Amino acid sequence: MMQTTTDPIAQELQLAGQPTVVTPEMELLDKYRVSNTTQAEPEEFLLTLNGTPCFPRCDVSVLAGQAKTGKTFVTSMLMACGVSQEVLQLQRNTTEPLKVMWLDTEQSVATTKRILCDRVARMAGVETLPDEQYFVFNTRRNTPKERQQLLAMAIETYRPDICIIDGIADLTDDINSGQEANELLQQLLTLAQEHRCNITANIHLNRTGEKQNLRGWLGTVMLQKAYEVFTCERMPDNETFAMEMLFSRQHKPCQDMYYSVDENGLPYSTKKCDNTKGDKKQQKQEFYNQEYVDANPADPALPWQFRKLFAAAFGTAAMLGSDDLEHRVMALSNIKQKQYYYRVLAEAEKRRIVQKTLTRGGRIGIIILPA
């Protein structure tokens, strides 16, 4: 019979070799453990873009961009790949057709039908899209909660290979609610995992236009948890559109896809618009405010006295909103193109002159750092 003792070291020695009591909590924890012997299916990608695998099963992809930058055109291409092996630079990875779901929250029923029947079908090269492959729902009149319920029911019922949500913000009451954002993303990840589909969600960028500045807390959470993020952009010629892979958890960003739209409303492949002449005319140093130009810049493309420029823009303000800072810096420097301003701002952040932060109200603000 084992003698008991109050000495903790002696107690440990007495218990050495005794079997450990396995609790239900420990059993549950063990289910989530990943080890060398864990059986894990390899990632399966539905499509490739310019040769790079993308849109994986069991995960969430994001398509971001400002209004009228071609997001719905890109989702139309994705849907067309359910039937067609290749649409522009997008290719389907399997010979078997894909089951496609589209949850449209933004447009009228007539517009949804027109896009499906006149655009997607023509991109796919067929007169009529097969009903057994395409499951399209217009939820413009529903509440955010109803849309979430309809989405879950539709995925569980029809088991699509890819489900497109256009747009994801309409599945929340408050795009700046951290709790709602996390709960919604968790629901999407769970649905994608349980039903082995890819869920691709459209979301707008904030008005600054920065490619990693997705709208609201929802955008922040999507940027953190999505497998990959693509951005859509309308080029300066106003006729060329671009689709860029911003990042992927596994692959390096691929070459951008450029396209224009013909007189029949269908996209065709093109090259990046040649904006060289316009850029030179607008961005020559003599057009800038010379008070803030560095005579011997480290990078001739960014010839700024960054500290002086941003200090003048802030003045006595401790913090400025993104739009306010953009307006002030562009006015002081005589920068005319917003895309160029974003490069200047990014360089100022890199040099630790300014830093983005969140206000108490959950909005993005920018502060100037001490020298």
Side-chain angles (χ1 to χ4, degrees):
M1 180 175 178
M2 182 183 295
Q3 295 181 349
T4 59
T5 175
T6 58
D7 182 355
I9 297 179
Q11 287 179 337
E12 290 296 325
L13 291 173
Q14 286 181 350
L15 292 173
Q18 297 294 318
T20 302
V21 177
V22 178
T23 65
E25 291 79 10
M26 293 173 64
E27 290 183 335
L28 179 62
L29 182 63
D30 193 60
K31 290 181 180 180
Y32 298 106
R33 183 178 178 184
V34 178
S35 68
N36 292 326
T37 58
T38 299
Q39 298 295 317
E41 294 185 7
E43 291 169 322
E44 180 183 347
F45 296 90
L46 300 177
L47 304 172
T48 61
L49 174 62
N50 282 321
T52 296
C54 50
F55 299 97
R57 290 188 186 273
C58 305
D59 225 310
V60 173
S61 304
V62 174
L63 191 63
Q66 293 183 308
K68 309 302 180 185
T69 55
K71 294 190 298 299
T72 303
F73 262 108
V74 172
T75 56
S76 298
M77 296 178 203
L78 296 179
M79 288 191 284
C81 284
V83 170
S84 177
Q85 194 75 40
E86 183 175 355
V87 179
L88 302 189
Q89 278 79 54
L90 281 165
Q91 292 183 321
R92 193 174 74 238
N93 289 336
T94 62
T95 55
E96 297 81 12
L98 300 176
K99 291 173 70 176
V100 177
M101 182 174 290
W102 179 26
L103 191 78
D104 186 0
T105 71
E106 299 181 341
Q107 300 163 117
S108 68
V109 173
T111 301
T112 301
K113 181 180 179 181
R114 177 176 55 78
I115 291 173
L116 180 69
C117 299
D118 295 343
R119 183 191 294 173
V120 177
R122 291 166 70 189
M123 284 185 192
V126 296
E127 291 189 5
T128 305
L129 294 168
D131 286 338
E132 64 273 15
Q133 277 184 249
Y134 286 84
F135 306 92
V136 178
F137 304 93
N138 185 287
T139 62
R140 187 184 189 184
R141 62 188 176 275
N142 296 99
T143 66
K145 190 65 176 179
E146 289 172 342
R147 292 182 185 116
Q148 288 189 33
Q149 294 170 346
L150 288 168
L151 173 68
M153 188 188 308
I155 291 177
E156 291 168 5
T157 302
Y158 297 107
R159 304 296 178 94
D161 296 298
I162 183 169
C163 174
I164 297 164
I165 305 172
D166 188 1
I168 188 69
D170 292 324
L171 272 65
T172 66
D173 287 307
D174 182 2
I175 197 172
N176 285 309
S177 168
Q179 180 178 345
E180 278 197 66
N182 279 292
E183 289 175 354
L184 177 55
L185 258 294
Q186 189 56 54
Q187 181 190 25
L188 298 185
L189 290 167
T190 299
L191 287 169
Q193 182 71 39
E194 289 183 350
H195 301 291
R196 299 198 71 255
C197 66
N198 171 270
I199 297 179
T200 294
N202 286 9
I203 189 169
H204 287 278
L205 295 176
N206 281 320
R207 285 180 297 174
T208 62
E210 294 176 72
K211 294 180 180 179
Q212 295 198 25
N213 198 355
L214 279 60
R215 183 166 293 177
W217 271 110
L218 177 59
T220 300
V221 175
M222 294 179 75
L223 200 62
Q224 292 171 346
K225 296 189 176 182
Y227 187 92
E228 58 195 0
V229 174
F230 299 87
T231 59
C232 295
E233 182 181 3
R234 196 169 193 146
M235 305 303 288
D237 67 352
N238 212 35
E239 295 180 356
T240 306
F241 296 86
M243 177 186 180
E244 175 187 356
M245 178 185 277
L246 194 61
F247 77 81
S248 166
R249 295 196 181 277
Q250 181 169 332
H251 301 101
K252 293 182 179 180
C254 62
Q255 181 181 353
D256 297 350
M257 178 176 73
Y258 296 97
Y259 67 94
S260 292
V261 180
D262 64 21
E263 62 275 9
N264 297 314
L266 296 177
Y268 62 92
S269 294
T270 186
K271 296 180 180 180
K272 183 177 181 180
C273 64
D274 185 2
N275 199 43
T276 306
K277 293 181 180 179
D279 286 344
K280 286 183 177 179
K281 182 177 180 180
Q282 288 189 322
Q283 299 299 346
K284 284 183 179 179
Q285 291 191 25
E286 57 263 29
F287 288 99
Y288 296 141
N289 185 341
Q290 297 299 303
E291 182 178 355
Y292 302 107
V293 170
D294 187 347
N296 297 295
D299 181 356
L302 296 167
W304 298 102
Q305 299 181 57
F306 287 91
R307 172 68 61 178
K308 184 177 181 180
L309 174 59
F310 280 87
F314 273 87
T316 59
M319 179 188 294
L320 292 174
S322 297
D323 291 345
D324 193 9
L325 180 62
E326 175 186 315
H327 175 76
R328 293 188 184 197
V329 170
M330 291 182 72
L332 282 170
S333 61
N334 203 29
I335 291 173
K336 300 300 183 184
Q337 293 184 336
K338 286 190 176 184
Q339 292 299 326
Y340 182 71
Y341 162 75
Y342 301 144
R343 291 179 60 192
V344 173
L345 177 62
E347 183 65 21
E349 289 183 86
K350 182 179 177 182
R351 298 188 184 197
R352 301 291 299 164
I353 294 170
V354 297
Q355 178 178 301
K356 292 176 184 173
T357 185
L358 288 176
T359 67
R360 291 182 179 179
R363 300 185 67 85
I364 295 176
I366 301 176
I367 61 174
I368 188 164
L369 301 174

